[in-house]
Amino acid sequence: MHTNWISQLGDYNPQLFREIKGRLHKRNVLLAVTTSLLTQLGVFLYFQSLLPNSDSITYTNYHKYCTGQYLDISRECLFDGFGNVMINWPLWFQDIFTGLSIIGFFSILVAGTYLLINDLATEERRDTLNFIRLSPQSHQSILFGKMLGVPILIYLGVFLAIPIHLWLGLNANLSLISIFGFYIIVITTSLFYFSGALLFGLVGSWLGGFQAWLGSGAVLGFLLFTQQSLKDEVSFNYPFVILKLINPYYFIPQSRGLTLDNFNWFALPLGNNWLTIIGFAVVIHLLGAYFIWESLQRCFRDRNATMLSKQQSYLLTIAFTIITIGCANWSKVVFGIGNIASAMTENMACLMFLNLWLFLYLIAALTPHRHTLQDWARYRHLASSPTGKRQLMQDLIWGEKSPAVVAIALNVIISITGLSLFTLVSTTDIYTKFNIFISLIFAGSLAVIYAVLAQLLLMMKNGQRLFWTNGILGAVIILPVVALAMLFSYPGNQTFLWLFSIAAPLIVLYPSSGASAMTAFLAIMGHVGILGLFLFQMTRQLRRLGESGTRVLLERN
């Protein structure tokens, strides 16, 4: 029976069978089981030590797990007829449930991310990944086999904790639907994070042995940061609340109510109902995983392909813009009263910050490398007829191998259009709206300038051009702000120089920074000049690539 089950698994997904067979050794299984059981025991004993007793309340008559009158973070301790402290058992079970929940999803997401990236790096180093590509399996089957098989020991350890986890939740008076809703969230967030881990494992091989640590460290840092910084109820007033939806911490069931009960999307109170917010979060996870999965399949099938097609990038920008704008504080800036200008400015700053990360990803996902551009430029050089020239713009918008600058510019237009419509429907004053529009112009011009710079750098002959591109682009984004902050701590000093840094949209957005209309206009002209210079250089480089590629082709013939 056991052999038959293994045989069926091998027929269904050979890659999953390969991963499981390589990891489920007796020693590894015993280690995973022992670690899981000891962790559960350790957590239980730790919370057992926190229970109040007659000795621990000698000097104070208050404790968190007592049942009397509530005072600050503790309750007055009451005693039964035998002199024993009356304990709030549901609260105690709730805290153990929460502790195990945090340990569980942190183990899955952080350790699973590390294992997946490290596995792909090892396969790449041993040159076995190319053999896997050549196997008759579909790309989806291989990637799903990796995702399910590589972290199998972590899955085993977490699965062993589910019975006691369910028991704790029921004793904490939590409903089964809320507990299983949390399990669904962990599964879908795992799909999202693991898809990203596999993609990073494929495209980040230039980082070497540091790759797995960087990826898992980024996941750990994100989970900790969002868990600590977004706890406050004020976070619901800003679009950053979207980050709560991709952190399972905020979906841990609470007997005291929902953690996301104040979440609104386009002023719709989705957080009022547990099933609604779970469903919305699952849609976000699956949508993100879909776009990452598209990138995964493209990169796995062809190592020289861009992570996204241009058409997919437009769909991604549209979806991202709608979702993030919906998380803004519509109740106040569109339907509310009070200091709307301040709320609108803060919400727009958050939206532009989120869009910054989107466009950094789009630049990385759409920009082709030197060899791809050489093939495209040679084709354009040979097809220099009037008909070919008429098709150039269409190729720049939709083509797979053409430069990404026009596509990035179109994505910028899509994003700015959505943000501008949000600004127009808000009830803020005209002066604030004008500042927002100028700020969006700066944000869009910076995105296109960074895209052209990245394209120029990836056209270098240097074999380490990917490393140099990331380093130089990162320096161009970060170093000007650091230098200006050291020389002129206040943006009101030398505002013109600040408008050429990544901080330019915020400088214009907040009028107290001292950016006049004339200064902003001159800075925009400066951005246009820089962009024009970069475009001229890129066009000349493409022409050279096309001519040299054609010459080589003719010499071979």
Side-chain angles (χ1 to χ4, degrees):
M1 184 68 180
H2 178 68
T3 305
N4 186 41
W5 177 81
I6 294 179
S7 177
Q8 289 179 355
L9 179 61
D11 294 336
Y12 173 72
N13 192 318
Q15 184 62 39
L16 176 59
F17 171 73
R18 173 176 175 259
E19 300 295 342
I20 292 178
K21 185 179 179 181
R23 285 169 173 79
L24 288 186
H25 301 300
K26 291 182 179 179
R27 184 182 63 180
N28 294 340
V29 172
L30 181 61
L31 180 62
V33 171
T34 304
T35 302
S36 176
L37 295 178
L38 288 178
T39 301
Q40 297 173 51
L41 179 62
V43 171
F44 184 83
L45 292 177
Y46 169 74
F47 280 96
Q48 182 76 25
S49 67
L50 298 180
L51 288 174
N53 53 54
S54 57
D55 295 330
S56 62
I57 59 174
T58 301
Y59 301 102
T60 176
N61 197 35
Y62 290 90
H63 195 278
K64 177 182 179 180
Y65 296 119
C66 287
T67 57
Q69 184 179 0
Y70 185 79
L71 179 65
D72 196 12
I73 60 173
S74 302
R75 290 183 178 274
E76 182 182 5
C77 293
L78 304 178
F79 299 87
D80 59 16
F82 299 98
N84 298 318
V85 180
M86 298 177 65
I87 295 174
N88 187 347
W89 290 110
L91 178 60
W92 185 72
F93 283 116
Q94 169 74 67
D95 287 351
I96 304 179
F97 177 88
T98 301
L100 279 180
S101 300
I102 294 174
I103 293 173
F105 77 76
F106 264 82
S107 299
I108 292 175
L109 298 182
V110 178
T113 297
Y114 175 85
L115 291 175
L116 284 169
I117 298 176
N118 185 64
D119 178 78
L120 281 180
T122 304
E123 297 267 23
E124 189 77 38
R125 186 171 61 252
R126 295 176 179 174
D127 205 25
T128 57
L129 198 58
N130 288 329
F131 289 103
I132 297 176
R133 286 190 177 100
L134 296 174
S135 67
Q137 302 178 68
S138 66
H139 300 138
Q140 296 91 335
S141 175
I142 294 172
L143 294 171
F144 269 119
K146 288 281 186 186
M147 191 179 297
L148 294 175
V150 172
I152 188 67
L153 294 173
I154 299 176
Y155 298 153
L156 175 62
V158 171
F159 181 78
L160 291 174
I162 288 180
I164 191 172
H165 191 256
L166 280 171
W167 177 76
L168 290 168
L170 294 176
N171 280 277
N173 297 328
L174 301 176
S175 64
L176 275 176
I177 190 171
S178 64
I179 298 174
F180 283 107
F182 171 70
Y183 293 162
I184 292 173
I185 288 294
V186 172
I187 293 172
T188 55
T189 50
S190 298
L191 175 64
F192 174 70
Y193 282 98
F194 289 175
S195 299
L198 288 172
L199 180 61
F200 184 63
L202 288 176
V203 303
S205 57
W206 56 276
L207 288 165
F210 183 62
Q211 184 182 3
W213 291 105
L214 179 61
S216 58
V219 171
L220 176 62
F222 174 81
L223 293 175
L224 290 175
F225 176 77
T226 53
Q227 179 177 329
Q228 296 300 321
S229 61
L230 299 179
K231 278 185 176 182
D232 200 314
E233 290 296 316
V234 179
S235 62
F236 288 100
N237 298 327
Y238 303 98
F240 286 152
V241 70
I242 187 68
L243 301 179
K244 288 187 173 184
L245 299 184
I246 52 178
N247 188 339
Y249 172 79
Y250 294 99
F251 293 88
I252 298 176
Q254 303 287 332
S255 58
R256 299 178 293 276
L258 298 176
T259 308
L260 292 167
D261 54 355
N262 291 324
F263 178 82
N264 294 300
W265 191 61
F266 286 107
L268 299 174
L270 301 185
N272 287 350
N273 184 276
W274 180 259
L275 291 178
T276 303
I277 191 63
I278 289 287
F280 184 74
V282 168
V283 170
I284 298 296
H285 302 159
L286 296 180
L287 191 62
Y290 166 76
F291 283 106
I292 297 176
W293 200 258
E294 290 295 318
S295 300
L296 257 177
Q297 294 186 78
R298 289 172 60 86
C299 293
F300 192 83
R301 181 171 55 248
D302 182 5
R303 298 176 63 178
N304 296 319
T306 56
M307 287 188 280
L308 286 175
S309 68
K310 293 182 173 65
Q311 182 178 5
Q312 290 168 345
S313 73
Y314 305 142
L315 295 175
L316 172 60
T317 303
I318 292 172
F320 185 88
T321 302
I322 294 174
I323 292 171
T324 52
I325 291 178
C327 292
N329 191 2
W330 282 68
S331 300
K332 186 168 187 178
V333 301
V334 178
F335 306 110
I337 57 175
N339 191 3
I340 298 175
S342 176
M344 184 64 192
T345 300
E346 293 170 350
N347 274 257
M348 189 57 62
C350 295
L351 287 170
M352 285 193 290
F353 181 78
L354 293 173
N355 275 272
L356 168 64
W357 293 101
L358 169 67
F359 280 97
L360 289 177
Y361 173 70
L362 288 178
I363 291 172
L366 292 176
T367 308
H369 286 232
R370 178 182 174 86
H371 298 302
T372 303
L373 281 176
Q374 189 170 24
D375 293 339
W376 179 83
R378 183 174 64 243
Y379 163 75
R380 294 305 314 170
H381 181 70
L382 293 173
S384 56
S385 62
T387 304
K389 291 181 178 180
R390 286 195 298 267
Q391 294 177 346
L392 175 60
M393 184 55 65
Q394 183 177 0
D395 196 21
L396 290 173
I397 295 174
W398 304 105
E400 289 284 328
K401 297 182 178 182
S402 60
V405 177
V406 174
I408 295 294
L410 288 176
N411 280 290
V412 166
I413 293 173
I414 293 171
S415 178
I416 288 180
T417 300
L419 296 174
S420 299
L421 291 175
F422 173 55
T423 303
L424 289 174
V425 300
S426 69
T427 54
T428 188
D429 58 275
I430 298 297
Y431 178 69
T432 302
K433 290 182 179 180
F434 177 77
N435 286 335
I436 290 174
F437 291 140
I438 300 300
S439 178
L440 290 174
I441 292 175
F442 276 101
S445 66
L446 285 171
V448 179
I449 288 173
Y450 294 150
V452 181
L453 177 60
Q455 187 66 87
L456 277 171
L457 293 170
L458 285 174
M459 292 166 66
M460 296 188 300
K461 291 183 179 180
N462 193 309
Q464 299 295 324
R465 55 181 169 269
L466 189 58
F467 172 80
W468 286 107
T469 299
N470 284 277
I472 294 174
L473 191 60
V476 169
I477 293 174
I478 298 172
L479 290 184
V481 176
V482 175
L484 289 170
M486 293 175 63
L487 295 173
F488 316 105
S489 57
Y490 176 58
N493 300 326
Q494 301 296 328
T495 305
F496 183 74
L497 296 178
W498 280 92
L499 292 178
F500 287 87
S501 70
I502 193 67
L506 296 181
I507 301 298
V508 177
L509 197 59
Y510 290 91
S512 59
S513 60
S516 64
M518 180 56 66
T519 303
F521 175 76
L522 292 175
I524 291 174
M525 291 298 100
H527 282 225
V528 173
I530 294 173
L531 180 58
L533 180 63
F534 282 174
L535 287 173
F536 173 77
Q537 181 66 18
M538 187 186 74
T539 303
R540 189 171 67 171
Q541 291 277 23
L542 285 172
R543 187 178 297 112
R544 288 179 179 176
L545 282 176
E547 292 173 352
S548 63
T550 303
R551 189 179 304 113
V552 172
L553 185 62
L554 293 175
E555 289 175 356
R556 288 179 179 176
N557 293 332

